[in-house]
């Protein structure tokens, strides 16, 4: 798997607050689906803002496809285009008066031709299934629809990696299901997904790898199964084990025959697992 | 309450401006009719600034070429203001109401609801123009207040009719524009007209933020209300002050986040969005031309 983004020893401190990121290193490879876990204020959002180039870390380096990102505008724009960031609250991201113009904002900033912008906007609207809202004003859309618009915003810039900050926050269960479908779809199209969340159940269902943040530091970076079996790590990060994971563990304790089975991550997998 | 005052103002204004020109019976019918018409159709409107946006979003005239629509209405506004005949204003007021009802699909009470604020203002201004003060009675209607005579003269009637018809015609043009054209379309027209970039950018952001901050205000207001924040006058004042202070703080926060989000999408200088080219149909041009010619032609009709 080729590496897309690598951060090395980055630190960031907000002027008025504690250290938000302390000597953090991680790398993301093409086609991965990574969950960044941590409680509120653990440094997840700051980490994503640094990965996208909006915040410049006070120390440490960022590499995009092996190339070091310098302070030059060109490098930063390359990073921002290749690594898209979907903000937690769509209202703090959406600025235009119609959905179509909103989605066109990114491509227009890339100074693309009119035809290319039109093509990308159309494509992103189709991908997110919001073509019918093209001429709608964003303030008349529901939370789930706004979330789709905010993802379409980034898709239209055709990034290789998409960072999503707390994508499930303020979404209802139905919209969370729809979001999961969207994320799987994007992954099948070859886009790397990195999402931050404190919802362990969601992360367990969707991600293969998990990075755990606590007090601005990475305290674990491993496969999801491995991370959720580290009780001490989860306690430090203020996280809970996913429900199904815990159920599986309890069942495993009562029966040794379960060891070879694939752990169930969704309710459907669990039903198959117990033969219902 | 406002409706009653408006109705009384309408009766007074129409009565005084037509007194002596039509028979008393007709005068009474026209005044009361106007008052009933406007107050009845206004009885359903509320929250004007936001509902205008919904009207514009859903108007059938939304797809009318925005550049043609905008400049035609602005031109009509100038024709109306420059006109020396009351008929231009009357024609345009009726035309705009008809267009928004039948071409735009807007409900009449929504249209009147938008117009009622400027109408109240015009009525008060109209009364001031209509009434002249004089040491002795000299008009067709005279009223003595503390030794000073308030008179309505035929000249003041004509003058007022002209001013009010011009103003009402012009307001109607703007009313049609704002109830049939969403703000982003108007901003796009202004950009094409080479309005300075920073003003355009500000307009886009202000438009967006009106809605975000209004809904935030609404939530905060409800939250304060649920904690008895408006139980009496003193508490209401305190709660209102606190809501606005925290709204200011929140808007700074929002602005910061919004700027980050813009930067993360490679924002550099100037906000630009995709503008698709609208097709101008010959019918649209024809309609605009006819209305303009008729309005300009009415200028030559004597009062």
């Amino acid at each position: 798997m080729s590496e897309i983004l690598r951060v090395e020893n980055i630190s960031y401190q907000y002027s008025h607050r504690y250290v938000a990121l302390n000597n953090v290193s991680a790398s993301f490879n093409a086609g991965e689906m990574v969950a960044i876990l941590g409680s509120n204020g653990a440094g997840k959002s700051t980490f994503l803002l640094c990965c996208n180039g909006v915040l410049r870390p006070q120390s440490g380096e960022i590499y995009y496809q092996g190339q070091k990102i310098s302070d030059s505008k060109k490098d930063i724009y390359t990073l921002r285009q290749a690594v898209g960031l979907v903000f937690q609250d769509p209202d703090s991201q959406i600025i235009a008066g119609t959905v179509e113009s909103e989605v066109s904002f990114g491509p227009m900033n890339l100074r693309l031709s009119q035809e290319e912008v039109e093509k990308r906007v159309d494509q992103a609207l189709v991908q997110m299934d919001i073509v019918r809202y093209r001429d709608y004003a964003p303030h008349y859309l529901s939370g789930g629809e706004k979330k789709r618009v905010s993802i379409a915003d980034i898709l239209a810039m055709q990034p290789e990696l998409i960072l999503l900050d707390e994508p499930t926050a303020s979404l209802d269960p139905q919209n969370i299901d729809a979001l999961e479908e969207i994320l799987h779809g994007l992954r099948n199209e070859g886009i790397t997904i990195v999402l931050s969340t404190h919802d362990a159940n969601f992360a367990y269902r969707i991600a293969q790898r998990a990075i755990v943040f606590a007090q601005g530091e990475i305290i674990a970076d491993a496969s999801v199964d491995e991370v959720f079996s580290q009780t001490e790590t989860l306690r430090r990060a203020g996280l809970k084990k996913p429900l199904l994971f815990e159920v599986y563990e309890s069942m495993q304790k009562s029966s040794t025959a379960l060891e070879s089975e694939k752990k169930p991550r969704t309710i459907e997998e669990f039903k198959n697992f117990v033969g219902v | 309450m406002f409706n009653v005052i408006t109705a009384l103002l309408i009766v007074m204004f129409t009565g005084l401006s037509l007194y002596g020109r039509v028979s008393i019976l007709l005068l009474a019918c026209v005044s009361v009719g106007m008052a009933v018409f406007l107050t009845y159709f206004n009885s359903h409107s509320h929250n004007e600034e936001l509902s205008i946006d919904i009207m514009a979003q859903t108007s059938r005239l939304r797809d009318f070429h925005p550049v043609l629509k905008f400049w035609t209405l602005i031109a009509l506004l100038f024709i109306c203001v420059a006109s020396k005949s009351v008929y231009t204003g009357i024609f345009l007021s009726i035309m705009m109401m008809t267009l928004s009802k039948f071409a735009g699909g807007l409900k009449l009470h929504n249209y009147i609801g938008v117009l009622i604020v400027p109408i109240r203002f015009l009525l008060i201004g109209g009364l001031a123009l209509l009434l002249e003060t004089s040491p002795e009675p000299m008009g067709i209607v005279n009223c003595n207040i503390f030794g000073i005579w308030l008179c309505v003269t035929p000249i003041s009637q004509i003058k007022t009719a002209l001013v009010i018809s011009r103003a009402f015609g012009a307001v109607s043009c703007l009313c049609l524009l704002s109830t049939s054209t969403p703000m982003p379309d108007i901003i796009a027209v202004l950009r094409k007209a080479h309005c300075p970039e920073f003003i355009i950018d500000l307009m886009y952001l202000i438009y967006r933020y009106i809605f975000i901050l209004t809904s935030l205000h609404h939530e905060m207001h409800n939250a304060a209300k649920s904690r008895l924040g408006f139980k009496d006058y003193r508490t209401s004042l305190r709660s209102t002050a606190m809501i606005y202070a925290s709204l200011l703080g929140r808007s700074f926060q929002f602005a910061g986040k919004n700027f980050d989000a813009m930067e993360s999408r490679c924002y550099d200088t100037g906000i630009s969005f995709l503008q698709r080219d609208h097709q101008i149909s010959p019918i649209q041009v024809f309609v605009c031309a006819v209305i303009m010619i008729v309005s300009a032609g009415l200028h030559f009709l004597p009062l």
Side-chain angles (χ1 to χ4, degrees):
Chain A
M1 276 196 294
S2 66
E3 177 192 270
I4 296 183
L5 186 75
R6 185 168 88 247
V7 295
E8 271 182 11
N9 309 318
I10 57 168
S11 298
Y12 192 88
Q13 180 174 13
Y14 289 101
S15 53
H16 56 290
R17 275 172 59 188
Y18 55 89
V19 181
L21 287 180
N22 186 15
N23 217 16
V24 167
S25 301
S27 77
F28 302 103
N29 299 324
E32 274 190 307
M33 178 90 93
V34 185
I36 299 195
L37 298 165
S39 54
N40 294 335
K44 305 187 298 285
S45 299
T46 311
F47 177 71
L48 296 186
L49 285 168
C50 286
C51 287
N52 167 262
V54 169
L55 295 183
R56 295 294 293 155
Q58 280 126 0
S59 63
E61 302 298 343
I62 296 175
Y63 297 86
Y64 165 62
Q65 289 191 330
Q67 299 282 317
K68 189 171 140 184
I69 298 293
S70 70
D71 280 338
S72 74
K73 262 191 172 179
K74 189 172 159 272
D75 274 10
I76 289 176
Y77 285 170
T78 309
L79 180 68
R80 287 178 185 168
Q81 190 265 312
V83 179
L85 170 59
V86 180
F87 279 67
Q88 177 178 349
D89 177 11
D91 274 335
S92 58
Q93 184 181 322
I94 296 173
I95 57 160
T98 65
V99 169
E100 183 181 70
S101 30
E102 169 59 25
V103 177
S104 73
F105 179 71
M108 289 296 281
N109 289 337
L110 298 177
R111 309 272 187 272
L112 302 168
S113 66
Q114 169 97 4
E115 294 76 44
E116 180 63 19
V117 174
E118 283 180 16
K119 203 182 95 193
R120 286 189 179 199
V121 169
D122 289 343
Q123 222 173 335
L125 292 178
V126 170
Q127 262 177 300
M128 286 299 104
D129 193 21
I130 46 175
V131 181
R132 60 188 176 285
Y133 303 130
R134 185 190 285 272
D135 292 325
Y136 279 44
H139 38 265
Y140 299 124
L141 299 180
S142 71
E145 288 156 359
K146 278 188 200 166
K147 191 55 141 190
R148 282 165 185 265
V149 173
S150 65
I151 298 175
D153 276 353
I154 304 308
L155 281 180
M157 296 178 77
Q158 300 189 340
E160 286 178 60
L161 190 157
I162 297 185
L163 309 164
L164 297 107
D165 193 5
E166 302 276 359
T168 55
S170 71
L171 289 187
D172 59 25
Q174 211 178 352
N175 275 312
I176 292 179
D177 285 351
L179 178 77
E180 280 180 33
E181 229 171 87
I182 288 169
L183 294 179
H184 282 303
L186 293 178
R187 193 170 168 238
N188 291 339
E189 284 170 32
I191 298 173
T192 309
I193 310 272
V194 176
L195 48 92
S196 80
T197 183
H198 47 233
D199 181 349
N201 289 306
F202 172 70
Y204 186 54
R205 282 198 301 273
I206 200 159
Q208 277 74 48
R209 181 178 147 207
I211 299 178
V212 184
F213 272 77
Q215 281 147 4
E217 289 179 16
I218 291 182
I219 56 167
D221 179 355
S223 76
V224 173
D225 283 331
E226 214 171 304
V227 166
F228 284 125
S229 55
Q230 297 170 8
T231 315
E232 178 54 24
T233 306
L234 296 179
R235 193 196 57 75
R236 265 182 73 195
L239 294 167
K240 280 188 169 178
K241 283 186 182 184
L243 194 64
L244 283 176
F245 190 88
E246 223 163 341
V247 169
Y248 180 84
E249 270 189 340
S250 321
M251 289 171 80
Q252 203 178 26
K253 276 178 196 156
S254 63
S255 158
T256 47
L258 291 173
E259 193 54 56
S260 58
E261 298 266 356
K262 181 179 171 282
K263 287 178 186 166
R265 291 193 178 194
T266 63
I267 285 292
E268 279 66 37
E269 284 175 11
F270 181 75
K271 281 178 183 165
N272 281 337
F273 174 68
V274 292
V276 180
Chain B
M1 185 60 192
F2 264 129
N3 278 343
V4 177
I5 298 173
T6 315
L8 285 175
L9 276 174
I10 295 169
V11 172
M12 267 172 74
F13 178 77
T14 340
L16 289 175
S17 45
L18 292 178
Y19 184 77
R21 295 179 178 273
V22 292
S23 73
I24 287 290
L25 191 66
L26 186 63
L27 182 66
C29 289
V30 170
S31 328
V32 175
M34 285 278 286
V36 170
F37 175 75
L38 286 177
T39 41
Y40 173 74
F41 280 107
N42 178 42
S43 56
H44 308 283
S45 74
H46 45 259
N47 205 0
E48 276 135 23
E49 69 279 11
L50 299 187
S51 56
I52 289 178
D53 189 64
I54 297 175
M55 290 175 210
Q57 302 279 349
T58 51
S59 172
R60 286 203 297 261
L61 282 172
R62 183 185 171 165
D63 296 331
F64 198 100
H65 196 281
V67 176
L68 181 65
K69 180 167 52 178
F70 182 86
W71 289 116
T72 306
L73 287 167
I74 296 297
L76 285 172
L77 186 148
F78 280 105
I79 290 175
C80 185
V81 171
S83 174
K84 289 203 170 68
S85 161
V86 290
Y87 297 111
T88 315
I90 296 172
F91 167 73
L92 282 176
S93 319
I94 296 172
M95 195 68 216
M96 296 305 141
M97 199 186 290
T98 318
L99 278 177
S100 61
K101 169 90 181 92
F102 296 104
L106 186 67
K107 288 188 177 126
L108 203 52
H109 67 79
N110 284 335
Y111 184 80
I112 305 275
V114 176
L115 265 185
I116 203 77
V117 179
I119 284 180
R120 281 183 195 133
F121 177 77
L122 286 179
L123 285 173
I124 296 169
L127 280 174
L129 279 173
L130 206 53
L131 298 168
E132 288 178 17
T133 53
S134 122
E136 55 202 54
M138 56 174 221
I140 41 176
V141 182
N142 302 296
C143 171
N144 192 339
I145 294 176
F146 303 119
I148 297 171
W149 286 93
L150 284 179
C151 321
V152 176
T153 61
I155 297 172
S156 73
Q157 277 182 327
I158 294 172
K159 205 171 61 186
T160 309
L162 190 59
V163 171
I164 294 297
S165 71
R166 279 176 181 171
F168 193 57
V171 167
S172 297
C173 292
L174 289 182
C175 186
L176 180 72
L177 181 68
S178 51
T179 54
S180 68
T181 323
M183 205 54 201
D185 287 356
I186 295 181
I187 303 173
V189 173
L190 291 175
R191 166 166 274 165
K192 276 190 185 152
H194 302 289
C195 190
E197 284 290 319
F198 76 96
I199 294 183
I200 300 287
D201 293 358
L202 277 178
M203 285 172 85
Y204 275 124
L205 293 175
I206 289 170
Y207 173 69
R208 176 84 187 111
Y209 273 83
I210 285 174
F211 293 93
I212 292 182
L213 294 179
T214 312
S215 81
L216 199 59
H217 174 258
H218 186 71
E219 279 170 25
M220 284 170 145
H221 185 90
N222 282 347
K225 227 173 169 177
S226 78
R227 286 175 290 158
L228 302 181
F230 290 89
K231 74 175 165 61
D232 55 38
Y233 183 67
R234 261 180 78 88
T235 340
S236 304
L237 277 185
R238 214 171 128 256
S239 303
T240 310
M242 281 165 81
I243 287 174
Y244 282 106
S246 103
L247 208 54
L248 180 72
R250 289 288 293 274
S251 55
F252 280 121
Q253 248 179 12
F254 249 119
K257 272 194 183 166
N258 207 223
F259 188 69
D260 281 351
M262 282 162 67
E263 279 211 303
S264 87
R265 282 193 281 160
C266 301
Y267 167 75
D268 189 8
T269 47
I271 298 174
S272 51
F273 300 120
L274 174 67
Q275 286 300 326
R276 292 196 194 251
D277 293 326
H278 292 74
Q279 292 294 319
I280 297 189
S281 77
I283 301 172
Q284 293 182 355
V285 178
F286 178 74
V287 171
C288 291
V290 168
I291 299 177
M292 286 223 293
I293 292 166
V294 174
S295 320
L298 284 170
H299 169 77
F300 299 103
L301 258 185
L303 181 67

